Amino acid sequence: MKFSSIFCNSFKTKKKFAGILFFLNAVFLFSFSQNDIKTFTLENGFKIFFLEDEATATVRIELNIKAGTKRQNPQNAGFFSLYANLLGLEISPDCVKIEKTAAPAQTEKIFIDFAEYFKPNFISDKKLNEELKKSQLSLKEFVSSTEGFINQAIDSRILYEEPWKTENGIFPQNFNSLSINEARTILTQIQDEYYSPQNAILYISGNITEKTALSLAKKYFEKPVRRSQNHFSEEKKFKIPENQKIQKKFVITDDQLSPDLTQIVLQYTDFFPEEAELMAAVFNKNNSSFKKLLLKQRNLAIRSPEYMDVSSVPQNSREKLIIQAICEKTKVGPAVQGELFLEMSREKERISSQEAESVLREINSSFAKISDNSTLLMKNLAIFNRTSGGLAEDFFSKNDKLNSISAEKLNESYENSKPYVFILCNTKNYTKYSDEFKKYGYERITQKNGAWYLLPQYKNFINGQNLQNKKEKSPSEEDFNFSARRFIQKSREEFSQFTLKNGIPVTIKSSSSKNTATVMLSIAGGELLFAEKNAGLASVLTNSLSAMIQWQMDELYKTGKLNSQASVNARTNSEDSVLTVNCSAKDINTCLETMAYCTIFGDISPALADGISYDLRAQWRIKTGSADFQLLCEAVRTIYEKPVSALYEDTKDKPAQMEFTEIQAAYPKILDCTRFSIILTGGIHQTKELKASLNSTFGELKSLSQTQNIQLKVKKLPLPKKIKRIPLRHQFFTDVSADKAGPRPAILIPTTDFSDPLLFMLEAPDISSTDNAIFNALLYFLKDSLQKKLEEFVQEVKVFPADSDLPYAQIVITKIKHYLQTEKIYEQTIKEISQELKKIINTDTQGVKDLEKNDFLAKLENLWIINELEKTSTNEGTAFLIQKGLASGNPELYLDQYEAVNKATAEDYYLVFSSYLENFPRMRIYSADTKK
């Protein structure tokens, strides 16, 4: 025992001595020390760090200008990056930088180039417009991406006081709405205030003498003595009310996240830089006690140490410690996994003395290597100064601070800190475990509230910063672009969404100037739901329901329970049935109650069903008598099999004769709440009373497994290359009524010259894309151009854009006597459009194009607006636009498409044109009676 004791003491003594020896070596083995780095400050405040290294043949020069993204305010966020891009500089939160390594003889050339950054920068309209569009496109892609959504969501919660200071903190509506001249004003202000010598630091190292370096610096950087202009107002922080608790637990949900994985992120924000750096280095070792502890918990299902990562990130005078892990599915939900991860990560003794010492040895060894290399030393000094704002002596004393931190101190600091917790979860998984998330106090983040500018608490702050409803400087600037921006921005502000207790989504677009409102009830399924057995049955059900609601509304109006008469309309498409009620905004709750009562408890009578079926058959027979529609039916049957083709059987009645029991049996199939979505437009606002009214009405609908929504879609198939000639049925109509016609026989003049139409079917971009809007603008222009050329032949041109019923565009030209002649005119028109677009692309406008939209592009935009957005003049028309977008998950689709058309260039149009319109249509259907 005595021998063992002596051995242990001896070992401890040796260990202590070895540690002392190691740190002595770490100090004395450095090639370069603090004393080797010279610091100079020129008369105008320009600062220089200099390190001479005769053993290096080259000279390294790095310029840092304190114009990083953390200088942003809500008004100019995004423009610091834009200006850096224009200059070819690399930007970070702290600064913009550029570094060059050159032969000594080239050093002066680098100084000359660097000095240019402090001079006024002339940017042409053309170049600025190009870079502005690139930045806007990049921002749009980032914001709409899952990565962008997650980054914005996390930054907005952690840096809630000034979220706009992050790289992800740009307010898109503000950034995208500025004209070239407004953008240039902001960029000039940034240049004046930040791109000055007194706001910059130069790092010089390598084969250059102190005398030469200082001489060159004075020659090129001391002359422009400029003071900052103070263009930007004083920084304002967003203040949370004192009585409001800062939320620290969040669940981020998105459909794009994997349903088989849960990602957990802990972010600590209250550590000193040395603490966070040391903890990250210890925790991130694959064999660390920290990772081993978490791997032991089976319900976390972390596959291996590689599926965890710990890092530290500088954040002003503090440093963030970020802990991340990916968990696979287990018997517990993601909320419980998050709580387990948090609990296990906070177990006692996460950091042992041995682990801390091991990491410190590595850090000291790494610093010794850095100090042995002038390039690495100055590079790391620049990084340190950018993130800490310290001096050279602070940089060299950093290791002393690290070595003074004990494992006990780290454990104590860790235990006393409370992290932000983020759980990244697939939307369906969240829905399944939503009660657990609420139980543990997690706040949900979605695309609708991810970024700071989407959060309601910032609304007054934004208005206070004049980021919305900006007034233009003069009436002359209120051009088409401003009108478009104003409409889009105002419309976006009017959107809100929530979900009823049974999962029915509700979308509201409110307008304070409206006294009327529209309630739209969309029921998924449509004609495809019954297409194979009885095409048209869905229309019978929808129209019957519409008739019942109208009757109830009329009764309420007669008894004075409605302020004004309400009108009810029904439309049944291939994929959904739509009911709309147009009423006074004051009557909205009464109308909702009536709609819900008729929908849930409505009793379709045999007489009502019979009358509606008869009317629908009569309408169908008239429709199928149209030569245009017969051509379309042939085209659809060529592309699709059942059930889609069953909706285009033009030789059969729709709906067919059926027993009333079939209608009764079919009605419950559309009453499942998973099929429903509700859209409200007009003079209506999201209130507690409205939510309560919806929950007590449509919120009572249930979901049954046998009636749950089956997604029935008209899939977009490759358009076959087909040319068909088909015989058409011709019907003749008279405007003489039956009672006046009498028994006289009809007199027909035998003829085979029916001047039948032709149909071109065209591939089109996805209807949920912005390219589809650009395509439609071209389609409307093509229609007008063809119409002018064919007027002398008394031919009419009709176009039908792709939609959810049929994802292909249609061009119908009537009264075709000789189709080769018509095709030749079509080809000529296409060629002219192509030439016009190429002409604009290839014309050197020297900035004119950037200032004023080309007449041809303006016409394309105007045609699209007239054809697509004219319906926004009514609440019902707006509701249909929202419903069209909602089918693809984006209720604001029509605004995105308007924005795309408004900003589209000739290059954008030509890309779509060459992909979809330049070649002759693949599918052409003619009448058998049409001559060549």
Side-chain angles (χ1 to χ4, degrees):
M1 291 293 291
K2 189 174 181 180
F3 177 80
S4 297
S5 177
I6 293 170
F7 177 81
C8 290
N9 289 335
S10 174
F11 177 78
K12 288 178 182 176
T13 305
K14 287 180 180 178
K15 184 176 179 183
K16 185 176 180 182
F17 178 77
I20 294 170
L21 181 63
F22 174 80
F23 291 123
L24 286 172
N25 286 337
V27 172
F28 291 111
L29 288 177
F30 296 163
S31 292
F32 296 105
S33 68
Q34 174 188 327
N35 296 329
D36 294 307
I37 297 177
K38 310 290 185 183
T39 307
F40 306 102
T41 304
L42 302 187
E43 186 181 341
N44 59 359
F46 186 65
K47 198 168 187 177
I48 304 162
F49 287 90
F50 173 77
L51 174 61
E52 186 174 350
D53 183 7
E54 296 176 351
T56 303
T58 56
V59 179
R60 180 187 180 274
I61 308 173
E62 178 180 338
L63 177 65
N64 285 190
I65 304 172
K66 299 172 190 174
T69 54
K70 74 177 184 183
R71 314 287 172 181
Q72 294 177 160
N73 60 38
Q75 292 97 333
N76 60 32
F79 285 93
F80 280 82
S81 297
L82 176 60
Y83 192 68
N85 291 338
L86 284 164
L87 298 182
L89 299 173
E90 179 186 335
I91 190 167
S92 69
D94 304 285
C95 74
V96 292
K97 77 179 183 75
I98 184 167
E99 51 183 302
K100 297 282 186 180
T101 301
Q106 295 297 314
T107 303
E108 186 168 9
K109 174 66 169 58
I110 293 174
F111 274 75
I112 294 170
D113 292 342
F114 281 8
E116 291 297 312
Y117 298 125
F118 301 124
K119 295 178 182 179
N121 184 30
F122 173 76
I123 307 167
S124 69
D125 284 335
K126 186 173 183 179
K127 184 178 181 183
L128 178 54
N129 191 40
E130 288 173 356
E131 287 299 327
L132 190 59
K133 285 180 178 177
K134 283 181 190 175
S135 297
Q136 289 169 344
L137 178 62
S138 177
L139 175 62
K140 185 176 181 180
E141 290 174 349
F142 177 77
V143 168
S144 61
S145 69
T146 305
E147 175 196 359
F149 156 54
I150 292 170
N151 286 336
Q152 285 185 319
I154 292 175
D155 284 348
S156 297
R157 272 64 187 182
I158 294 178
L159 305 171
Y160 56 87
E161 289 185 318
E162 297 171 307
W164 45 84
K165 287 195 170 187
T166 70
E167 291 177 269
N168 311 317
I170 303 169
F171 183 29
Q173 288 185 21
N174 189 62
F175 185 74
N176 293 336
S177 65
L178 296 175
S179 67
I180 294 174
N181 290 332
E182 289 170 320
R184 179 180 279 104
T185 299
I186 294 175
L187 294 174
T188 302
Q189 291 170 346
I190 291 171
Q191 201 277 333
D192 285 345
E193 187 157 338
Y194 293 97
Y195 283 76
S196 58
Q198 64 266 33
N199 199 45
I201 301 175
L202 191 69
Y203 298 87
I204 310 170
S205 63
N207 188 19
I208 185 172
T209 65
E210 176 185 323
K211 182 181 178 181
T212 303
L214 199 55
S215 173
L216 289 172
K218 286 182 177 181
K219 181 178 180 180
Y220 294 105
F221 299 118
E222 194 168 42
K223 287 182 179 179
V225 180
R226 293 191 297 114
R227 297 298 172 192
S228 60
Q229 303 297 309
N230 296 320
H231 293 288
F232 302 120
S233 57
E234 186 179 345
E235 295 283 341
K236 288 186 179 180
K237 291 187 177 182
F238 175 75
K239 293 183 179 179
I240 289 182
E242 292 181 6
N243 61 346
Q244 185 176 332
K245 182 183 176 183
I246 296 173
Q247 175 69 19
K248 282 203 166 188
K249 295 172 80 173
F250 303 92
V251 53
I252 300 175
T253 67
D254 194 83
D255 293 341
Q256 298 299 316
L257 295 171
S258 171
D260 299 318
L261 300 172
T262 297
Q263 187 171 349
I264 300 168
V265 181
L266 306 184
Q267 291 210 19
Y268 292 85
T269 59
D270 46 6
F271 292 126
F272 289 106
E274 294 79 17
E275 290 178 325
E277 184 180 339
L278 197 49
M279 283 183 201
V282 172
F283 287 167
N284 207 40
K285 293 285 184 183
N286 280 343
N287 61 346
S288 68
S289 303
F290 180 79
K291 286 190 176 181
K292 286 178 181 176
L293 189 65
L294 290 163
L295 288 169
K296 284 180 182 178
Q297 175 51 260
R298 291 183 179 180
N299 284 325
L300 284 177
I302 301 171
R303 183 173 292 187
S304 69
E306 287 77 15
Y307 284 73
M308 286 181 276
D309 182 75
V310 187
S311 60
S312 61
V313 178
Q315 181 184 307
N316 300 326
S317 59
R318 293 280 179 168
E319 192 142 341
K320 285 195 294 185
L321 178 71
I322 303 173
I323 303 172
Q324 304 181 72
I326 294 176
C327 304
E328 299 181 5
K329 272 189 174 181
T330 62
K331 61 183 179 182
V332 301
V336 174
Q337 283 183 317
E339 290 302 297
L340 282 172
F341 188 86
L342 186 59
E343 181 184 337
M344 296 295 288
S345 70
R346 298 184 67 80
E347 284 285 324
K348 296 282 184 183
E349 297 299 323
R350 282 154 304 281
I351 302 173
S352 67
S353 298
Q354 290 81 1
E355 286 178 307
E357 288 173 10
S358 173
V359 166
L360 281 170
R361 282 196 297 272
E362 290 179 9
I363 291 173
N364 284 316
S365 177
S366 174
F367 192 70
K369 291 177 182 177
I370 289 170
S371 300
D372 198 43
N373 183 312
S374 62
T375 297
L376 287 177
L377 184 60
M378 293 299 272
K379 193 179 186 77
N380 280 272
L381 175 61
I383 293 170
F384 177 80
N385 285 345
R386 286 198 295 270
T387 57
S388 68
L391 303 171
E393 51 263 35
D394 296 324
F395 175 66
F396 281 93
S397 65
K398 177 184 171 184
N399 269 36
D400 292 337
K401 290 180 181 178
L402 284 170
N403 288 311
S404 68
I405 302 173
S406 65
E408 291 76 16
K409 172 63 177 172
L410 286 180
N411 283 320
E412 183 184 346
S413 295
Y414 189 78
E415 288 167 15
N416 293 332
S417 299
K418 188 176 181 182
Y420 286 86
V421 184
F422 298 90
I423 297 179
L424 280 59
C425 178
N426 178 269
T427 306
K428 289 182 180 179
N429 287 355
Y430 170 80
T431 304
K432 184 177 179 180
Y433 295 101
S434 59
D435 290 341
E436 285 185 0
F437 279 110
K438 289 174 185 175
K439 174 185 173 183
Y440 293 117
Y442 285 86
E443 181 181 305
R444 188 185 184 189
I445 305 175
T446 66
Q447 288 274 8
K448 287 294 177 183
N449 67 347
W452 69 271
Y453 47 81
L454 296 173
L455 294 170
Q457 58 262 40
Y458 287 97
K459 188 171 183 181
N460 292 333
F461 183 89
I462 287 173
N463 290 332
Q465 293 288 311
N466 296 319
L467 292 176
Q468 294 177 324
N469 301 322
K470 294 188 305 165
K471 293 182 179 179
E472 297 298 287
K473 294 178 182 178
S474 66
S476 62
E477 293 180 28
E478 193 167 330
D479 56 10
F480 286 121
N481 287 334
F482 173 68
S483 299
R485 293 198 304 270
R486 180 177 56 190
F487 172 82
I488 293 166
Q489 181 176 316
K490 187 174 185 297
S491 296
R492 290 197 195 282
E493 292 166 7
E494 293 173 343
F495 272 90
S496 61
Q497 287 183 295
F498 61 92
T499 304
L500 301 187
K501 60 186 180 182
N502 57 358
I504 293 178
V506 179
T507 303
I508 298 176
K509 185 183 181 294
S510 61
S511 177
S512 56
S513 62
K514 299 273 189 178
N515 295 317
T516 57
T518 291
V519 181
M520 176 177 281
L521 185 64
S522 179
I523 309 170
E527 293 287 16
L528 286 175
L529 192 60
F530 307 104
E532 294 205 45
K533 293 184 178 179
N534 197 336
L537 176 53
S539 293
V540 175
L541 297 174
T542 309
N543 287 18
S544 298
L545 181 54
S546 171
M548 290 189 292
I549 295 171
Q550 185 67 71
W551 185 86
Q552 286 287 350
M553 294 290 186
D554 291 344
E555 290 299 305
L556 290 171
Y557 179 66
K558 289 176 187 176
T559 57
K561 293 179 181 177
L562 287 179
N563 289 285
S564 63
Q565 199 161 11
S567 64
V568 186
N569 299 310
R571 179 190 295 182
T572 303
N573 307 312
S574 296
E575 298 178 355
D576 49 51
S577 300
V578 181
L579 284 159
T580 56
V581 173
N582 300 296
C583 61
S584 166
K586 296 178 181 177
D587 296 329
I588 195 71
N589 288 336
T590 305
C591 289
L592 285 171
E593 290 169 8
T594 305
M595 288 179 73
Y597 178 82
C598 291
T599 303
I600 300 170
F601 303 108
D603 185 13
I604 302 174
S605 67
L608 176 63
D610 188 53
I612 286 175
S613 297
Y614 179 84
D615 288 342
L616 287 170
R617 274 194 295 275
Q619 292 169 27
W620 176 253
R621 287 170 183 172
I622 293 172
K623 188 175 183 178
T624 54
S626 160
D628 300 8
F629 188 66
Q630 290 175 44
L631 292 175
L632 178 62
C633 288
E634 180 64 28
V636 174
R637 291 196 301 268
T638 304
I639 302 168
Y640 291 100
E641 297 179 348
K642 287 187 176 183
V644 177
S645 63
L647 303 179
Y648 294 85
E649 293 289 350
D650 55 317
T651 58
K652 297 179 181 179
D653 275 343
K654 193 178 90 170
Q657 297 284 350
M658 70 186 95
E659 296 292 330
F660 179 66
T661 52
E662 290 182 65
I663 298 173
Q664 283 183 309
Y667 187 66
K669 290 184 179 179
I670 69 170
L671 291 184
D672 194 291
C673 67
T674 61
R675 294 187 181 281
F676 282 65
S677 58
I678 297 171
I679 299 168
L680 305 172
T681 58
I684 186 168
H685 301 278
Q686 181 177 324
T687 62
K688 290 182 180 179
E689 183 184 2
L690 177 63
K691 280 188 176 182
S693 179
L694 283 163
N695 271 313
S696 64
T697 53
F698 288 103
E700 297 299 329
L701 277 168
K702 304 298 180 185
S703 175
L704 302 173
S705 58
Q706 60 267 35
T707 59
Q708 276 185 357
N709 179 16
I710 300 169
Q711 292 297 320
L712 299 166
K713 298 287 183 183
V714 180
K715 294 181 179 178
K716 187 177 181 181
L717 304 176
L719 195 62
K721 190 171 185 179
K722 287 279 184 180
I723 301 173
K724 283 194 169 186
R725 294 169 59 85
I726 63 169
L728 298 178
R729 303 183 308 280
H730 298 92
Q731 293 183 355
F732 300 91
F733 300 93
T734 177
D735 57 0
V736 180
S737 61
D739 57 322
K740 293 180 181 178
R744 64 186 179 182
I747 301 172
L748 299 179
I749 301 171
T751 179
T752 57
D753 183 10
F754 293 109
S755 298
D756 287 327
L758 62 77
L759 168 67
F760 293 161
M761 299 288 287
L762 295 89
E763 291 275 12
D766 189 282
I767 60 172
S768 64
S769 68
T770 52
D771 277 355
N772 184 256
I774 293 172
F775 173 86
N776 287 346
L778 289 163
L779 189 67
Y780 298 133
F781 184 84
L782 173 61
K783 180 230 176 199
D784 282 5
S785 300
L786 280 171
Q787 188 65 68
K788 288 177 183 177
K789 288 181 169 62
L790 295 171
E791 274 178 350
E792 60 180 291
F793 304 106
V794 201
Q795 292 176 248
E796 182 187 0
V797 183
K798 294 180 280 188
V799 296
F800 303 91
D803 56 23
S804 58
D805 275 352
L806 203 58
Y808 312 98
Q810 307 159 44
I811 299 176
V812 178
I813 303 176
T814 63
K815 299 181 181 179
I816 303 295
K817 292 184 178 180
H818 301 281
Y819 69 80
L820 287 178
Q821 179 188 51
T822 303
E823 286 182 352
K824 186 177 180 181
I825 292 172
Y826 179 90
E827 287 180 314
Q828 179 188 346
T829 308
I830 289 292
K831 186 177 180 180
E832 288 172 1
I833 295 173
S834 177
Q835 289 172 342
E836 184 64 34
L837 288 171
K838 289 176 181 176
K839 178 183 174 184
I840 300 170
I841 292 169
N842 295 326
T843 300
D844 183 9
T845 58
Q846 295 184 347
V848 175
K849 181 177 65 174
D850 299 330
L851 295 171
E852 186 177 329
K853 186 168 289 188
N854 177 277
D855 288 342
F856 181 69
L857 302 185
K859 187 167 186 177
L860 288 170
E861 179 182 350
N862 293 339
L863 281 170
W864 185 86
I865 293 170
I866 292 166
N867 283 279
E868 299 276 345
L869 297 186
E870 190 176 16
K871 53 180 72 78
T872 57
S873 60
T874 67
N875 296 327
E876 187 176 35
T878 301
F880 273 110
L881 286 171
I882 294 170
Q883 193 256 350
K884 177 184 174 183
L886 203 58
S888 57
N890 179 14
E892 298 179 27
L893 175 63
Y894 74 101
L895 299 176
D896 291 345
Q897 292 183 330
Y898 187 9
E899 195 168 40
V901 171
N902 178 249
K903 293 179 179 179
T905 62
E907 290 88 345
D908 297 326
Y909 279 109
Y910 187 72
L911 184 63
V912 173
F913 177 82
S914 59
S915 300
Y916 297 97
L917 283 167
E918 197 161 35
N919 296 322
F920 210 71
R922 289 176 60 81
M923 177 174 276
R924 311 196 288 277
I925 312 292
Y926 305 101
S927 165
D929 295 317
T930 302
K931 301 173 183 177
K932 283 191 175 183

